[in-house]
Amino acid sequence: MTTQDSARRVTRRRVRTRANLLDAAFAVFAAKGFGRVSIEEICEAAGYSRGAFYSNFATLDELFFALYRERADLIASQVADALAQDRPDLDVPASVDRVTEVLLLDVDWLLVKTDFLVHAARDPDVAQALLDHRARLREAIADRLSKARGHTTLPAVLGDVDGAARAVVAAYDGVTTQLLLDRDGDAARGWLKQLLTALLTDGSGTPE
């Protein structure tokens, strides 16, 4: 085996170890909450030693940040892809359906996301990371709405496309808070579809 082949194997193993640590951390954070989790618990859940942890992350905060960023970036990408499927005119009910399916993932993700929000409220650096993600999500929505201008009319009360994008994210925040409390995913999906359709149309296109 060449030195280059050996280096590739080490790199692949390191990538796999990091991914396994993140997956284990997600499950532990969702079950116990960020402030109640130790490095040892994550290592045990992943089946690794503390050495494996520290070869990938300097602190628990760094792992938590990496976990949030990974999932949040995936969601922003999925939303952008879901909105890009229409032609220049925006089929609001169809787009709402697709975006709703992407945004409402699962309660475990919402628990981790809420923990990150609370953490961010006490740490300006973490808060900026959260604001950056929310900005990317809004930009993905605003970009799609902007491309539909001239083909699809948005309610004037929302102002510009950025205002409409902010309203979409705010509706999601409100519905997911309710979902965390009652754990009724089907109801939350229905509420979000109704809210987004009402926000983006005159109400005549409400999905059945």
Side-chain angles (χ1 to χ4, degrees), residues 27-60:
V28 177
F29 286 142
K32 300 189 66 174
F34 173 67
R36 299 180 179 180
V37 173
S38 67
I39 290 173
E40 288 77 8
E41 287 175 293
I42 291 173
C43 291
E44 182 179 353
Y48 293 122
S49 66
R50 287 174 63 93
F53 179 94
Y54 285 116
S55 70
N56 287 275
F57 305 101
T59 64
L60 198 57

Side-chain angles (χ1 to χ4, degrees), residues 61-168:
D61 275 24
E62 183 182 321
L63 180 148
F64 192 46
F65 182 88
L67 173 65
Y68 179 84
R69 183 174 55 196
E70 177 187 78
R71 302 290 172 120
D73 286 349
L74 174 62
I75 291 171
S77 175
Q78 288 174 328
V79 168
D81 289 345
L83 289 172
Q85 293 180 33
D86 287 325
R87 294 177 180 178
D89 58 315
L90 185 67
D91 182 342
V92 172
S95 293
V96 165
D97 254 351
R98 291 195 301 269
V99 171
T100 300
E101 291 295 343
V102 170
L103 284 175
L104 283 181
L105 299 177
D106 55 45
V107 171
D108 283 349
W109 162 244
L110 296 176
L111 286 168
V112 172
K113 176 174 173 282
T114 301
D115 263 355
F116 195 83
L117 175 62
V118 172
H119 188 45
R122 296 187 173 94
D123 186 321
D125 291 335
V126 178
Q128 189 57 55
L130 181 57
L131 289 170
D132 289 346
H133 161 64
R134 291 173 70 84
R136 289 197 302 277
L137 187 58
R138 287 198 308 272
E139 286 165 7
I141 297 169
D143 180 66
R144 181 62 189 89
L145 295 177
S146 180
K147 289 175 180 176
R149 296 185 81 171
H151 302 275
T152 303
T153 302
L154 297 174
V157 70
L158 294 176
D160 56 15
V161 292
D162 185 60
R166 288 178 181 274
V168 169

Side-chain angles (χ1 to χ4, degrees), residues 184-197:
D184 190 338
D186 290 338
R189 182 175 183 275
W191 296 330
L192 187 58
K193 287 173 66 175
Q194 291 171 6
L195 279 173
L196 294 184
T197 302

